[in-house]
Amino acid sequence: MDEERIVLVLAKTSDLKSKIINCIHKTSNADNEANQTDSMESEAKPDAEIEEDDNEEETESLLGIKDALESLEAQLTSLQ
């Protein structure tokens, strides 16, 4: 792969990583809001617990993708 293509792929990888990080922040904020709502209510709603579990799974998946993109960035940087 020539250097120009590596730079283009590296730029796209960085862009994707930034988008993933934004999504992680959004799901983390949603988890925090759900926790605050649950602490204010006397009974936890089953739907809220399911949504919180889904947010945690989504966050874990996004973190895995972010880690993979960081690894790809490192490999591309070493190819430059």
Tab-separated table of all heavy atoms in Angstrom, residues 15-76:
chain	number	residue	atom	x	y	z
A	15	ASP	N	-11.409	9.229	11.986
A	15	ASP	CA	-12.776	9.762	11.945
A	15	ASP	C	-13.767	8.777	12.554
A	15	ASP	O	-14.615	9.157	13.368
A	15	ASP	CB	-13.158	10.085	10.498
A	15	ASP	CG	-14.527	10.719	10.380
A	15	ASP	OD1	-14.821	11.659	11.160
A	15	ASP	OD2	-15.310	10.283	9.499
A	16	LEU	N	-13.639	7.512	12.181
A	16	LEU	CA	-14.528	6.486	12.742
A	16	LEU	C	-14.347	6.358	14.249
A	16	LEU	O	-15.313	6.204	14.994
A	16	LEU	CB	-14.275	5.144	12.057
A	16	LEU	CG	-14.754	5.019	10.619
A	16	LEU	CD1	-14.271	3.702	10.017
A	16	LEU	CD2	-16.268	5.107	10.542
A	17	LYS	N	-13.092	6.414	14.702
A	17	LYS	CA	-12.818	6.319	16.140
A	17	LYS	C	-13.464	7.479	16.890
A	17	LYS	O	-14.054	7.286	17.954
A	17	LYS	CB	-11.322	6.271	16.406
A	17	LYS	CG	-10.994	5.993	17.870
A	17	LYS	CD	-9.518	5.884	18.093
A	17	LYS	CE	-8.957	7.288	18.184
A	17	LYS	NZ	-7.567	7.350	18.623
A	18	SER	N	-13.412	8.670	16.313
A	18	SER	CA	-14.045	9.840	16.948
A	18	SER	C	-15.553	9.651	17.056
A	18	SER	O	-16.164	9.973	18.084
A	18	SER	CB	-13.751	11.106	16.148
A	18	SER	OG	-12.388	11.400	16.189
A	19	LYS	N	-16.157	9.124	16.009
A	19	LYS	CA	-17.601	8.869	16.035
A	19	LYS	C	-17.962	7.817	17.078
A	19	LYS	O	-18.961	7.955	17.790
A	19	LYS	CB	-18.091	8.447	14.646
A	19	LYS	CG	-18.060	9.584	13.645
A	19	LYS	CD	-18.506	9.129	12.276
A	19	LYS	CE	-18.433	10.297	11.285
A	19	LYS	NZ	-18.872	9.897	9.947
A	20	ILE	N	-17.140	6.779	17.176
A	20	ILE	CA	-17.377	5.733	18.179
A	20	ILE	C	-17.264	6.318	19.584
A	20	ILE	O	-18.090	6.025	20.465
A	20	ILE	CB	-16.382	4.566	17.992
A	20	ILE	CG1	-16.626	3.846	16.664
A	20	ILE	CG2	-16.424	3.608	19.163
A	20	ILE	CD1	-17.906	3.071	16.579
A	21	ILE	N	-16.267	7.156	19.817
A	21	ILE	CA	-16.091	7.775	21.136
A	21	ILE	C	-17.309	8.631	21.480
A	21	ILE	O	-17.784	8.607	22.621
A	21	ILE	CB	-14.776	8.582	21.178
A	21	ILE	CG1	-13.582	7.615	21.165
A	21	ILE	CG2	-14.717	9.483	22.404
A	21	ILE	CD1	-12.240	8.284	20.975
A	22	ASN	N	-17.833	9.363	20.507
A	22	ASN	CA	-19.045	10.162	20.747
A	22	ASN	C	-20.218	9.271	21.126
A	22	ASN	O	-20.990	9.612	22.027
A	22	ASN	CB	-19.391	11.003	19.517
A	22	ASN	CG	-18.453	12.162	19.320
A	22	ASN	OD1	-17.820	12.635	20.261
A	22	ASN	ND2	-18.351	12.628	18.086
A	23	CYS	N	-20.354	8.146	20.455
A	23	CYS	CA	-21.436	7.213	20.786
A	23	CYS	C	-21.262	6.632	22.189
A	23	CYS	O	-22.239	6.454	22.912
A	23	CYS	CB	-21.499	6.090	19.759
A	23	CYS	SG	-22.050	6.606	18.134
A	24	ILE	N	-20.021	6.353	22.566
A	24	ILE	CA	-19.748	5.844	23.914
A	24	ILE	C	-20.166	6.875	24.955
A	24	ILE	O	-20.794	6.538	25.961
A	24	ILE	CB	-18.252	5.471	24.063
A	24	ILE	CG1	-17.933	4.253	23.213
A	24	ILE	CG2	-17.900	5.219	25.531
A	24	ILE	CD1	-16.453	3.952	23.090
A	25	HIS	N	-19.845	8.143	24.704
A	25	HIS	CA	-20.229	9.203	25.638
A	25	HIS	C	-21.751	9.312	25.741
A	25	HIS	O	-22.288	9.495	26.838
A	25	HIS	CB	-19.627	10.541	25.227
A	25	HIS	CG	-18.157	10.635	25.421
A	25	HIS	ND1	-17.546	10.501	26.646
A	25	HIS	CD2	-17.155	10.834	24.534
A	25	HIS	CE1	-16.242	10.610	26.511
A	25	HIS	NE2	-15.973	10.807	25.231
A	26	LYS	N	-22.434	9.174	24.620
A	26	LYS	CA	-23.901	9.252	24.634
A	26	LYS	C	-24.505	8.117	25.446
A	26	LYS	O	-25.418	8.338	26.238
A	26	LYS	CB	-24.453	9.226	23.211
A	26	LYS	CG	-24.231	10.503	22.453
A	26	LYS	CD	-24.782	10.397	21.040
A	26	LYS	CE	-24.461	11.639	20.238
A	26	LYS	NZ	-24.938	11.520	18.847
A	27	THR	N	-23.996	6.894	25.253
A	27	THR	CA	-24.555	5.774	26.008
A	27	THR	C	-24.193	5.876	27.485
A	27	THR	O	-24.993	5.511	28.346
A	27	THR	CB	-24.094	4.410	25.448
A	27	THR	OG1	-22.675	4.360	25.443
A	27	THR	CG2	-24.627	4.184	24.050
A	28	SER	N	-23.004	6.393	27.780
A	28	SER	CA	-22.613	6.583	29.186
A	28	SER	C	-23.501	7.620	29.852
A	28	SER	O	-23.921	7.443	31.000
A	28	SER	CB	-21.156	7.024	29.286
A	28	SER	OG	-20.307	6.011	28.829
A	29	ASN	N	-23.799	8.694	29.143
A	29	ASN	CA	-24.692	9.725	29.681
A	29	ASN	C	-26.092	9.169	29.893
A	29	ASN	O	-26.745	9.495	30.888
A	29	ASN	CB	-24.735	10.946	28.768
A	29	ASN	CG	-23.453	11.734	28.806
A	29	ASN	OD1	-22.673	11.639	29.746
A	29	ASN	ND2	-23.224	12.522	27.768
A	30	ALA	N	-26.551	8.327	28.987
A	30	ALA	CA	-27.869	7.718	29.136
A	30	ALA	C	-27.901	6.814	30.366
A	30	ALA	O	-28.883	6.788	31.105
A	30	ALA	CB	-28.240	6.935	27.885
A	31	ASP	N	-26.799	6.071	30.602
A	31	ASP	CA	-26.706	5.221	31.793
A	31	ASP	C	-26.744	6.062	33.061
A	31	ASP	O	-27.418	5.715	34.030
A	31	ASP	CB	-25.425	4.389	31.781
A	31	ASP	CG	-25.498	3.220	30.821
A	31	ASP	OD1	-26.607	2.871	30.381
A	31	ASP	OD2	-24.421	2.663	30.508
A	32	ASN	N	-26.005	7.173	33.061
A	32	ASN	CA	-25.977	8.043	34.236
A	32	ASN	C	-27.351	8.632	34.519
A	32	ASN	O	-27.775	8.702	35.674
A	32	ASN	CB	-24.952	9.165	34.052
A	32	ASN	CG	-23.533	8.666	34.091
A	32	ASN	OD1	-23.262	7.594	34.622
A	32	ASN	ND2	-22.626	9.423	33.511
A	33	GLU	N	-28.051	9.054	33.478
A	33	GLU	CA	-29.394	9.606	33.655
A	33	GLU	C	-30.345	8.540	34.177
A	33	GLU	O	-31.182	8.816	35.036
A	33	GLU	CB	-29.901	10.188	32.350
A	33	GLU	CG	-29.198	11.469	31.946
A	33	GLU	CD	-29.629	11.966	30.575
A	33	GLU	OE1	-30.578	11.396	29.997
A	33	GLU	OE2	-29.008	12.917	30.089
A	34	ALA	N	-30.214	7.322	33.679
A	34	ALA	CA	-31.073	6.233	34.137
A	34	ALA	C	-30.800	5.924	35.607
A	34	ALA	O	-31.729	5.680	36.379
A	34	ALA	CB	-30.859	4.988	33.287
A	35	ASN	N	-29.531	5.936	35.991
A	35	ASN	CA	-29.188	5.682	37.396
A	35	ASN	C	-29.735	6.766	38.309
A	35	ASN	O	-30.211	6.484	39.406
A	35	ASN	CB	-27.667	5.579	37.565
A	35	ASN	CG	-27.113	4.302	36.998
A	35	ASN	OD1	-27.837	3.319	36.831
A	35	ASN	ND2	-25.836	4.316	36.682
A	36	GLN	N	-29.695	8.020	37.887
A	36	GLN	CA	-30.227	9.120	38.683
A	36	GLN	C	-31.734	8.996	38.811
A	36	GLN	O	-32.295	9.210	39.883
A	36	GLN	CB	-29.861	10.467	38.057
A	36	GLN	CG	-28.405	10.804	38.190
A	36	GLN	CD	-28.033	12.086	37.462
A	36	GLN	OE1	-28.851	12.655	36.743
A	36	GLN	NE2	-26.807	12.527	37.635
A	37	THR	N	-32.394	8.618	37.725
A	37	THR	CA	-33.847	8.453	37.755
A	37	THR	C	-34.229	7.315	38.680
A	37	THR	O	-35.168	7.430	39.458
A	37	THR	CB	-34.379	8.176	36.333
A	37	THR	OG1	-33.993	9.253	35.480
A	37	THR	CG2	-35.883	8.048	36.329
A	38	ASP	N	-33.473	6.201	38.606
A	38	ASP	CA	-33.767	5.055	39.466
A	38	ASP	C	-33.574	5.399	40.939
A	38	ASP	O	-34.335	4.951	41.792
A	38	ASP	CB	-32.872	3.861	39.106
A	38	ASP	CG	-33.297	3.190	37.812
A	38	ASP	OD1	-34.421	3.475	37.339
A	38	ASP	OD2	-32.514	2.397	37.274
A	39	SER	N	-32.570	6.187	41.239
A	39	SER	CA	-32.329	6.521	42.635
A	39	SER	C	-33.398	7.464	43.170
A	39	SER	O	-33.658	7.488	44.368
A	39	SER	CB	-30.941	7.131	42.805
A	39	SER	OG	-30.867	8.367	42.152
A	40	MET	N	-34.023	8.232	42.302
A	40	MET	CA	-35.077	9.151	42.732
A	40	MET	C	-36.399	8.420	42.959
A	40	MET	O	-37.226	8.850	43.751
A	40	MET	CB	-35.275	10.260	41.698
A	40	MET	CG	-34.077	11.163	41.544
A	40	MET	SD	-34.343	12.265	40.180
A	40	MET	CE	-34.179	13.826	41.017
A	41	GLU	N	-36.605	7.314	42.248
A	41	GLU	CA	-37.849	6.554	42.378
A	41	GLU	C	-37.668	5.472	43.436
A	41	GLU	O	-36.585	4.937	43.625
A	41	GLU	CB	-38.212	5.924	41.036
A	41	GLU	CG	-38.491	6.950	39.962
A	41	GLU	CD	-38.749	6.295	38.610
A	41	GLU	OE1	-38.643	5.057	38.515
A	41	GLU	OE2	-39.065	7.024	37.675
A	42	SER	N	-38.761	5.124	44.078
A	42	SER	CA	-38.670	4.099	45.119
A	42	SER	C	-38.618	2.696	44.533
A	42	SER	O	-38.016	1.802	45.110
A	42	SER	CB	-39.853	4.220	46.084
A	42	SER	OG	-41.072	4.071	45.377
A	43	GLU	N	-39.255	2.475	43.386
A	43	GLU	CA	-39.240	1.166	42.756
A	43	GLU	C	-38.580	1.272	41.393
A	43	GLU	O	-38.869	2.180	40.632
A	43	GLU	CB	-40.671	0.643	42.567
A	43	GLU	CG	-41.410	0.375	43.861
A	43	GLU	CD	-42.802	-0.153	43.598
A	43	GLU	OE1	-43.118	-0.474	42.451
A	43	GLU	OE2	-43.575	-0.221	44.547
A	44	ALA	N	-37.704	0.340	41.103
A	44	ALA	CA	-37.072	0.307	39.784
A	44	ALA	C	-38.022	-0.353	38.800
A	44	ALA	O	-38.626	-1.378	39.095
A	44	ALA	CB	-35.762	-0.458	39.845
A	45	LYS	N	-38.161	0.242	37.641
A	45	LYS	CA	-39.041	-0.306	36.612
A	45	LYS	C	-38.279	-1.386	35.851
A	45	LYS	O	-37.118	-1.194	35.503
A	45	LYS	CB	-39.473	0.800	35.656
A	45	LYS	CG	-40.289	1.873	36.319
A	45	LYS	CD	-40.634	2.946	35.319
A	45	LYS	CE	-41.390	4.079	35.999
A	45	LYS	NZ	-41.657	5.181	35.078
A	46	PRO	N	-38.922	-2.504	35.534
A	46	PRO	CA	-38.244	-3.563	34.779
A	46	PRO	C	-37.764	-3.072	33.414
A	46	PRO	O	-36.695	-3.461	32.958
A	46	PRO	CB	-39.303	-4.646	34.617
A	46	PRO	CG	-40.325	-4.370	35.663
A	46	PRO	CD	-40.253	-2.902	35.949
A	47	ASP	N	-38.534	-2.208	32.754
A	47	ASP	CA	-38.141	-1.693	31.444
A	47	ASP	C	-36.867	-0.861	31.549
A	47	ASP	O	-36.011	-0.907	30.667
A	47	ASP	CB	-39.252	-0.847	30.823
A	47	ASP	CG	-40.474	-1.679	30.455
A	47	ASP	OD1	-40.341	-2.911	30.316
A	47	ASP	OD2	-41.563	-1.082	30.288
A	48	ALA	N	-36.744	-0.100	32.621
A	48	ALA	CA	-35.551	0.722	32.813
A	48	ALA	C	-34.320	-0.156	33.012
A	48	ALA	O	-33.239	0.164	32.525
A	48	ALA	CB	-35.738	1.657	34.000
A	49	GLU	N	-34.478	-1.273	33.721
A	49	GLU	CA	-33.361	-2.184	33.932
A	49	GLU	C	-32.931	-2.829	32.626
A	49	GLU	O	-31.738	-2.975	32.361
A	49	GLU	CB	-33.738	-3.260	34.947
A	49	GLU	CG	-33.880	-2.732	36.359
A	49	GLU	CD	-34.351	-3.790	37.339
A	49	GLU	OE1	-34.340	-4.987	36.974
A	49	GLU	OE2	-34.731	-3.424	38.452
A	50	ILE	N	-33.893	-3.198	31.797
A	50	ILE	CA	-33.577	-3.796	30.495
A	50	ILE	C	-32.851	-2.786	29.621
A	50	ILE	O	-31.852	-3.106	28.973
A	50	ILE	CB	-34.858	-4.310	29.806
A	50	ILE	CG1	-35.421	-5.508	30.569
A	50	ILE	CG2	-34.577	-4.674	28.351
A	50	ILE	CD1	-36.777	-5.961	30.113
A	51	GLU	N	-33.325	-1.544	29.631
A	51	GLU	CA	-32.693	-0.495	28.835
A	51	GLU	C	-31.264	-0.238	29.319
A	51	GLU	O	-30.352	-0.056	28.529
A	51	GLU	CB	-33.510	0.793	28.897
A	51	GLU	CG	-32.975	1.897	28.023
A	51	GLU	CD	-33.849	3.135	28.045
A	51	GLU	OE1	-35.071	3.013	28.198
A	51	GLU	OE2	-33.276	4.235	27.895
A	52	GLU	N	-31.073	-0.246	30.641
A	52	GLU	CA	-29.738	-0.034	31.203
A	52	GLU	C	-28.800	-1.159	30.789
A	52	GLU	O	-27.644	-0.913	30.429
A	52	GLU	CB	-29.824	0.056	32.725
A	52	GLU	CG	-28.514	0.412	33.382
A	52	GLU	CD	-28.662	0.579	34.884
A	52	GLU	OE1	-29.697	1.074	35.337
A	52	GLU	OE2	-27.710	0.200	35.582
A	53	ASP	N	-29.287	-2.412	30.810
A	53	ASP	CA	-28.471	-3.546	30.379
A	53	ASP	C	-28.094	-3.412	28.903
A	53	ASP	O	-26.959	-3.690	28.520
A	53	ASP	CB	-29.205	-4.866	30.607
A	53	ASP	CG	-29.319	-5.228	32.076
A	53	ASP	OD1	-28.558	-4.659	32.899
A	53	ASP	OD2	-30.166	-6.074	32.410
A	54	ASP	N	-29.054	-2.984	28.082
A	54	ASP	CA	-28.783	-2.788	26.661
A	54	ASP	C	-27.726	-1.706	26.457
A	54	ASP	O	-26.841	-1.854	25.617
A	54	ASP	CB	-30.060	-2.410	25.903
A	54	ASP	CG	-31.043	-3.568	25.773
A	54	ASP	OD1	-30.636	-4.722	25.995
A	54	ASP	OD2	-32.215	-3.304	25.450
A	55	ASN	N	-27.821	-0.620	27.229
A	55	ASN	CA	-26.830	0.454	27.121
A	55	ASN	C	-25.442	-0.035	27.525
A	55	ASN	O	-24.445	0.333	26.902
A	55	ASN	CB	-27.236	1.657	27.975
A	55	ASN	CG	-28.346	2.461	27.362
A	55	ASN	OD1	-28.645	2.341	26.184
A	55	ASN	ND2	-28.981	3.292	28.164
A	56	GLU	N	-25.375	-0.867	28.559
A	56	GLU	CA	-24.082	-1.398	28.988
A	56	GLU	C	-23.482	-2.298	27.918
A	56	GLU	O	-22.276	-2.218	27.642
A	56	GLU	CB	-24.238	-2.164	30.297
A	56	GLU	CG	-24.479	-1.278	31.504
A	56	GLU	CD	-24.707	-2.069	32.778
A	56	GLU	OE1	-24.424	-3.283	32.797
A	56	GLU	OE2	-25.168	-1.463	33.752
A	57	GLU	N	-24.310	-3.151	27.304
A	57	GLU	CA	-23.827	-4.024	26.235
A	57	GLU	C	-23.364	-3.203	25.042
A	57	GLU	O	-22.327	-3.511	24.430
A	57	GLU	CB	-24.920	-5.003	25.815
A	57	GLU	CG	-25.219	-6.067	26.829
A	57	GLU	CD	-26.356	-6.972	26.405
A	57	GLU	OE1	-26.756	-6.938	25.219
A	57	GLU	OE2	-26.860	-7.714	27.259
A	58	GLU	N	-24.124	-2.165	24.713
A	58	GLU	CA	-23.754	-1.301	23.601
A	58	GLU	C	-22.427	-0.603	23.883
A	58	GLU	O	-21.557	-0.534	23.009
A	58	GLU	CB	-24.851	-0.268	23.354
A	58	GLU	CG	-24.605	0.620	22.159
A	58	GLU	CD	-25.746	1.575	21.895
A	58	GLU	OE1	-26.870	1.359	22.391
A	58	GLU	OE2	-25.504	2.559	21.182
A	59	THR	N	-22.259	-0.117	25.105
A	59	THR	CA	-21.021	0.551	25.476
A	59	THR	C	-19.837	-0.404	25.375
A	59	THR	O	-18.779	-0.042	24.845
A	59	THR	CB	-21.117	1.135	26.898
A	59	THR	OG1	-22.195	2.076	26.934
A	59	THR	CG2	-19.834	1.835	27.306
A	60	GLU	N	-20.004	-1.633	25.851
A	60	GLU	CA	-18.932	-2.619	25.771
A	60	GLU	C	-18.566	-2.925	24.323
A	60	GLU	O	-17.386	-3.033	23.979
A	60	GLU	CB	-19.327	-3.902	26.505
A	60	GLU	CG	-19.365	-3.746	28.013
A	60	GLU	CD	-19.842	-5.008	28.714
A	60	GLU	OE1	-19.719	-6.114	28.122
A	60	GLU	OE2	-20.330	-4.899	29.843
A	61	SER	N	-19.570	-3.045	23.463
A	61	SER	CA	-19.316	-3.302	22.049
A	61	SER	C	-18.576	-2.142	21.407
A	61	SER	O	-17.615	-2.338	20.644
A	61	SER	CB	-20.634	-3.537	21.298
A	61	SER	OG	-21.273	-4.687	21.757
A	62	LEU	N	-19.011	-0.934	21.726
A	62	LEU	CA	-18.360	0.250	21.169
A	62	LEU	C	-16.922	0.374	21.651
A	62	LEU	O	-16.036	0.769	20.890
A	62	LEU	CB	-19.153	1.510	21.520
A	62	LEU	CG	-20.511	1.653	20.830
A	62	LEU	CD1	-21.296	2.811	21.431
A	62	LEU	CD2	-20.337	1.837	19.333
A	63	LEU	N	-16.672	0.031	22.908
A	63	LEU	CA	-15.306	0.060	23.424
A	63	LEU	C	-14.419	-0.943	22.690
A	63	LEU	O	-13.249	-0.662	22.401
A	63	LEU	CB	-15.291	-0.213	24.928
A	63	LEU	CG	-15.777	0.930	25.814
A	63	LEU	CD1	-15.962	0.451	27.257
A	63	LEU	CD2	-14.817	2.101	25.757
A	64	GLY	N	-14.968	-2.105	22.367
A	64	GLY	CA	-14.223	-3.096	21.599
A	64	GLY	C	-13.884	-2.584	20.206
A	64	GLY	O	-12.759	-2.775	19.715
A	65	ILE	N	-14.843	-1.926	19.568
A	65	ILE	CA	-14.605	-1.354	18.244
A	65	ILE	C	-13.553	-0.257	18.325
A	65	ILE	O	-12.659	-0.171	17.483
A	65	ILE	CB	-15.917	-0.823	17.640
A	65	ILE	CG1	-16.878	-1.983	17.364
A	65	ILE	CG2	-15.653	-0.035	16.361
A	65	ILE	CD1	-18.288	-1.555	17.023
A	66	LYS	N	-13.647	0.591	19.365
A	66	LYS	CA	-12.676	1.671	19.542
A	66	LYS	C	-11.268	1.105	19.713
A	66	LYS	O	-10.308	1.584	19.105
A	66	LYS	CB	-13.032	2.537	20.742
A	66	LYS	CG	-12.064	3.701	20.990
A	66	LYS	CD	-12.379	4.444	22.253
A	66	LYS	CE	-11.957	3.788	23.498
A	66	LYS	NZ	-10.567	3.727	23.843
A	67	ASP	N	-11.146	0.053	20.508
A	67	ASP	CA	-9.841	-0.576	20.708
A	67	ASP	C	-9.287	-1.145	19.400
A	67	ASP	O	-8.094	-1.020	19.113
A	67	ASP	CB	-9.929	-1.682	21.764
A	67	ASP	CG	-10.191	-1.151	23.159
A	67	ASP	OD1	-9.969	0.065	23.394
A	67	ASP	OD2	-10.615	-1.950	24.019
A	68	ALA	N	-10.159	-1.751	18.600
A	68	ALA	CA	-9.728	-2.297	17.311
A	68	ALA	C	-9.270	-1.186	16.373
A	68	ALA	O	-8.272	-1.338	15.656
A	68	ALA	CB	-10.861	-3.090	16.678
A	69	LEU	N	-9.991	-0.069	16.374
A	69	LEU	CA	-9.588	1.060	15.529
A	69	LEU	C	-8.261	1.655	15.984
A	69	LEU	O	-7.428	2.040	15.159
A	69	LEU	CB	-10.685	2.133	15.515
A	69	LEU	CG	-11.949	1.778	14.743
A	69	LEU	CD1	-13.032	2.816	14.983
A	69	LEU	CD2	-11.657	1.642	13.260
A	70	GLU	N	-8.037	1.717	17.295
A	70	GLU	CA	-6.756	2.207	17.799
A	70	GLU	C	-5.619	1.282	17.377
A	70	GLU	O	-4.537	1.740	17.011
A	70	GLU	CB	-6.797	2.345	19.319
A	70	GLU	CG	-7.621	3.526	19.788
A	70	GLU	CD	-7.773	3.589	21.298
A	70	GLU	OE1	-7.442	2.608	21.994
A	70	GLU	OE2	-8.238	4.643	21.774
A	71	SER	N	-5.864	-0.015	17.399
A	71	SER	CA	-4.863	-0.976	16.955
A	71	SER	C	-4.572	-0.802	15.468
A	71	SER	O	-3.411	-0.826	15.034
A	71	SER	CB	-5.356	-2.398	17.238
A	71	SER	OG	-4.468	-3.352	16.722
A	72	LEU	N	-5.622	-0.619	14.685
A	72	LEU	CA	-5.450	-0.385	13.251
A	72	LEU	C	-4.660	0.898	12.992
A	72	LEU	O	-3.767	0.922	12.135
A	72	LEU	CB	-6.815	-0.317	12.566
A	72	LEU	CG	-6.814	-0.049	11.066
A	72	LEU	CD1	-6.034	-1.119	10.314
A	72	LEU	CD2	-8.236	0.061	10.554
A	73	GLU	N	-4.974	1.950	13.752
A	73	GLU	CA	-4.232	3.206	13.629
A	73	GLU	C	-2.741	2.991	13.895
A	73	GLU	O	-1.885	3.513	13.178
A	73	GLU	CB	-4.765	4.261	14.593
A	73	GLU	CG	-5.993	4.983	14.112
A	73	GLU	CD	-6.444	6.048	15.094
A	73	GLU	OE1	-6.334	5.819	16.327
A	73	GLU	OE2	-6.902	7.093	14.633
A	74	ALA	N	-2.430	2.232	14.914
A	74	ALA	CA	-1.025	1.962	15.260
A	74	ALA	C	-0.332	1.214	14.136
A	74	ALA	O	0.824	1.518	13.775
A	74	ALA	CB	-0.940	1.187	16.568
A	75	GLN	N	-1.017	0.228	13.569
A	75	GLN	CA	-0.430	-0.529	12.476
A	75	GLN	C	-0.219	0.341	11.242
A	75	GLN	O	0.820	0.252	10.574
A	75	GLN	CB	-1.316	-1.729	12.132
A	75	GLN	CG	-1.339	-2.780	13.202
A	75	GLN	CD	-2.317	-3.900	12.899
A	75	GLN	OE1	-2.929	-3.941	11.840
A	75	GLN	NE2	-2.476	-4.819	13.843
A	76	LEU	N	-1.203	1.184	10.932
A	76	LEU	CA	-1.070	2.074	9.774
A	76	LEU	C	0.043	3.085	9.976
A	76	LEU	O	0.778	3.398	9.042
A	76	LEU	CB	-2.401	2.792	9.510
A	76	LEU	CG	-3.541	1.917	8.984
A	76	LEU	CD1	-4.854	2.686	9.011
A	76	LEU	CD2	-3.237	1.417	7.588
